[in-house]
Amino acid sequence: MPPVPQPSPAPPPGPDGPPLLLGTSAFGQNERGFPVFDAYWEGGGRAFDTAWLYGHAYGPGCCERTFGAWAQSRGVEKDVWVLAKGAHTPECLPDRVEGQLGESFERMGRDSAALYMLHRDNTDVPVGEFVTVLTDLMNRGLIQGYGMSNWTLERVTEAAAYAREHGLPLPTGISNQYSLIDMVHPIYPGTETSRTPAWRAWLSEGNVRLYPWASQGRGAHALADPDELRTGPLAESWYSEANAARLHRTRLLAERTGLSATGIALAWTLSQPFPVVALIGPRLPEEVRDSLAAAAHRLTDAERDWLETGEGELPPR
């Protein structure tokens, strides 16, 4: 008998508080991480983005340990909402998933995560092998849901089809790059964007939540002069005439709203017609507060589209 078709599930409940995930990849030292984490928590932030690989070049596990030490010192281990990631290239293999997850838990001083994602894809591995391993982690209570980071739409839909066919839980989260300015060249090897018409149409079905990284354009909106995008260190991945024009339009709208240009870029990401929880990467407490202010702001459809395309005039509020 063929398996009974499953209804498309709604995305899992998101974190309490603002629709943000504070990235932990820059904080492998307590003295640098704790002030930023404190500012985020005091502003209502409850969700954190972690990964087995973060800080690996400086000391394997240093970022997870810093986050775990902060959560324990503040007594909030049970209150944080954690996105954990693992199985990064070259260890993107089904038999490495549980081992790396266990190492991440040991480093952070916890025994579960709200959401777990494969940090990269390995197209030599059939999607069913990954889905089976992730389902087992869910069944044992180690994770509440699973998803994929830096996967193509073709592989994600193939994984969802496999899960439906075999009566297994479906993926509920995607963490690919997505921002107002378009990533014209991958920042890191193996990274993927969801900023294509096909991805947008699929996300608009509402069954999977997007957790975009570089959601504010990797600092491009904070440049002293938008023209620096063409000549500075961000040029390789971010420069195009269209992106330079978006930076200028963002500043115009920022002047009207009182938000920073970086804040407007975050508001654009959060104002999409599909569910989004944005990964942010502030380095200082004041940058945290800027993002928290922007997270409460929603653009009108006209503002959102004008920022992206530049068609017409700046829409009136």
Side-chain angles (χ1 to χ4, degrees), residues 31 37 89 103 115 164 189 238 272 300 314:
E31 59 268 28
F37 298 159
T89 308
E103 291 176 11
L115 185 61
R164 283 195 183 92
W238 298 103
Q272 300 303 301
T300 66
L314 174 60

Side-chain angles (χ1 to χ4, degrees), residues 2-290:
V4 177
Q6 294 182 337
S8 297
D16 293 333
L20 301 175
L21 279 164
L22 179 63
T24 61
S25 64
F27 305 111
Q29 300 170 315
N30 293 2
E31 59 268 28
R32 295 189 63 234
F34 281 26
V36 172
F37 298 159
D38 283 340
Y40 180 64
W41 192 266
E42 290 163 6
R46 297 294 181 265
F48 294 81
D49 163 58
T50 71
W52 182 90
L53 191 75
Y54 286 169
H56 192 80
Y58 305 99
C62 61
C63 295
E64 289 178 317
R65 290 190 184 94
T66 294
F67 167 66
W70 171 82
Q72 292 168 39
S73 70
R74 303 313 191 246
V76 298
E77 310 100 299
K78 302 300 182 183
D79 301 315
V80 291
W81 192 100
V82 174
L83 165 62
K85 299 191 296 294
H88 194 288
T89 308
E91 296 189 62
C92 189
L93 299 164
D95 62 4
R96 289 296 291 135
V97 172
E98 183 173 352
Q100 286 197 358
L101 180 61
E103 291 176 11
S104 292
F105 284 164
E106 182 178 1
R107 295 165 177 174
M108 292 188 283
R110 59 186 308 108
D111 56 13
S112 66
L115 185 61
Y116 180 82
M117 291 187 181
L118 301 171
H119 209 166
R120 290 289 191 276
D121 191 12
N122 180 351
T123 55
D124 291 333
V125 177
V127 293
E129 294 185 26
F130 283 126
V131 171
T132 299
V133 166
L134 295 167
T135 295
D136 179 63
L137 297 176
M138 287 185 65
N139 290 339
R140 291 156 55 197
L142 298 176
I143 61 175
Q144 296 173 28
Y146 75 90
M148 294 85 175
S149 180
N150 297 299
W151 277 43
T152 65
L153 180 56
E154 179 182 11
R155 285 278 285 182
V156 171
T157 55
E158 186 181 348
Y162 180 92
R164 283 195 183 92
E165 181 181 352
H166 293 84
L168 303 177
L170 275 71
T172 51
I174 298 297
S175 185
N176 285 359
Q177 197 283 318
Y178 192 92
S179 61
L180 172 58
I181 61 171
D182 201 1
M183 184 175 70
V184 298
H185 184 271
I187 299 174
Y188 306 113
T191 52
E192 293 286 340
T193 181
S194 286
R195 201 179 180 284
T196 67
W199 262 115
R200 287 177 168 188
W202 189 78
L203 289 166
S204 293
E205 296 175 7
N207 299 323
V208 175
R209 183 174 279 112
L210 180 66
Y211 298 83
W213 55 269
S215 65
Q216 295 168 290
R218 203 70 175 180
H221 296 276
L223 293 172
D225 181 347
D227 292 333
E228 291 179 34
L229 185 66
R230 181 174 61 84
T231 58
L234 297 175
E236 181 180 3
S237 290
W238 298 103
Y239 177 72
S240 69
E241 290 187 5
N243 280 344
R246 290 175 185 128
L247 294 192
H248 284 283
R249 290 194 294 273
T250 301
R251 294 191 175 207
L252 291 175
L253 189 54
E255 291 173 1
R256 172 188 286 188
T257 62
L259 296 174
S260 69
T262 300
I264 289 293
L266 178 59
W268 182 90
T269 301
L270 294 173
S271 297
Q272 300 303 301
F274 44 78
V276 176
V277 175
L279 276 64
I280 57 172
R283 300 295 190 265
L284 299 170
E286 53 265 35
E287 294 174 350
V288 173
R289 290 186 278 270
D290 181 78

